[in-house]
Structures are given as structure tokens and as C-alpha cells.
Amino acid sequence: RRQRQMCIRDRFCYCMGKEEIEVRDIEAICTTQITNKIFEMVEAVAVRNQKKALDYYYDLLALKEPPMRVLFLIARQCNLLLQTKELKSRGHDNKTIASKIGVPPFAAGKYVAQASHFKTSVLKNAVKQCVETEEAVKSGRMNDMMSVEILILSVLPS
């Protein structure tokens, strides 16, 4: 029994026998939940929490997440919220909205709630700003990291 416990413990002691733990040792055994941070940042954008959105954005940059991927996710969220708002205004229920925008039915209620915080004109402007930001980066007029930061600041009131 004691030998079995030692064997199990050794599996968890990655640096056992080393004098010093190095950064690469930690990186080898730790995983970062980038996906969770992206969704939390997009959620902060959706509920118009500028400080939280920027904090998550800086965390994502520190985790080496490409700014253009973050931009894509913000644009997608704004577009989904715009579609949701328009469908809801036409009297569609959450199940129909989910089907039309391509999200699971349980998520439709969340999108409806988030969309209710925005005027349609604000969402249209946000989608337009996302397109303009992408164009500015791809044409070389703006730096990708700064352009997403500016987008977050311009789309969201403080």
C-alpha cells in the first residue's frame, strides 16, 4: 500500500528532486482557461461594463490571445445582440430567436436580456465600428492591440 501511495504521489510531484522550480516547469503543467476569459470579456462588453471589459482584454493580451480574435468575438456578440433585438421587436419568442441566430435555446434568454440594455441604433453603430476597426488594422492604419482597446472604449460608456 505504501509503495502504491508513493507512485501516485510521484505523478503529482512534477518537480520532485529539483532544487529550483523554473517558469517552464509551471507552464508545462498549468493550463490557462483562455476561452473562459474571452467569454467573460465579451459578457462585460455586452452588459456595458467598460472597466471589467478592459481588465479582461488586458488579461487576454497577457495570455497571448491575438487582438484580432478578440475583435472578432466582440463583433460577433454585437451582431448577435442586434439580431436578437430586431427579432424580439418583431414579436418572436426565445426559442425562435435561438433558432434564427444559431445559438442553443438556453442562451436566447441571455441574449434577449443583454440586448434590452441597448438601443438598436447603438448596436448598429457598434457593428459598424467593429468593421471599421478591422479594416483599419488590416490596412495598416492602426495597431491591432490599441484598436481593440479604442473600440471597447468607444462602444461602451464608462
Side-chain angles (χ1 to χ4, degrees):
R1 180 168 166 91
R2 181 169 162 75
Q3 187 177 18
R4 180 184 156 114
Q5 286 176 334
M6 290 294 287
C7 184
I8 291 170
R9 191 183 81 208
D10 287 348
R11 287 187 200 157
F12 294 107
C13 295
Y14 182 80
C15 296
M16 187 173 213
K18 288 182 97 176
E19 291 292 318
E20 191 174 305
I21 297 173
E22 298 172 15
V23 172
R24 68 175 174 234
D25 297 324
I26 295 169
E27 289 174 349
I29 62 171
C30 293
T31 60
T32 306
Q33 297 296 329
I34 290 174
T35 305
N36 290 345
K37 289 220 180 273
I38 289 172
F39 288 120
E40 290 167 352
M41 194 222 53
V42 171
E43 170 77 15
V45 169
V47 298
R48 298 166 27 160
N49 186 333
Q50 188 182 74
K51 182 184 179 339
K52 193 180 239 184
L54 285 172
D55 287 345
Y56 284 125
Y57 179 57
Y58 299 139
D59 288 347
L60 288 164
L61 293 178
L63 294 169
K64 309 244 187 282
E65 190 63 25
M68 292 306 286
R69 178 177 166 160
V70 175
L71 173 61
F72 166 77
L73 292 168
I74 293 171
R76 179 182 180 275
Q77 183 75 7
C78 290
N79 192 33
L80 286 172
L81 290 173
L82 176 60
Q83 290 176 54
T84 299
K85 186 150 189 87
E86 289 178 344
L87 290 167
K88 192 66 175 174
S89 72
R90 293 185 201 144
H92 292 289
D93 64 357
N94 290 1
K95 185 176 178 183
T96 304
I97 291 171
S99 172
K100 288 189 178 281
I101 67 171
V103 299
F106 69 86
K110 187 176 183 179
Y111 282 104
V112 169
Q114 288 177 357
S116 71
H117 295 290
F118 293 92
K119 291 181 179 179
T120 302
S121 61
V122 171
L123 289 170
K124 284 182 180 178
N125 186 51
V127 171
K128 180 181 172 203
Q129 284 184 282
C130 288
V131 171
E132 289 171 355
T133 299
E134 181 178 7
E135 182 183 320
V137 170
K138 288 184 175 179
S139 66
R141 290 190 319 250
M142 282 192 97
N143 169 290
D144 59 351
M145 291 188 335
M146 187 174 34
S147 68
V148 176
E149 182 177 332
I150 290 169
L151 175 73
I152 292 169
L153 291 171
S154 65
V155 168
L156 304 174
S158 55

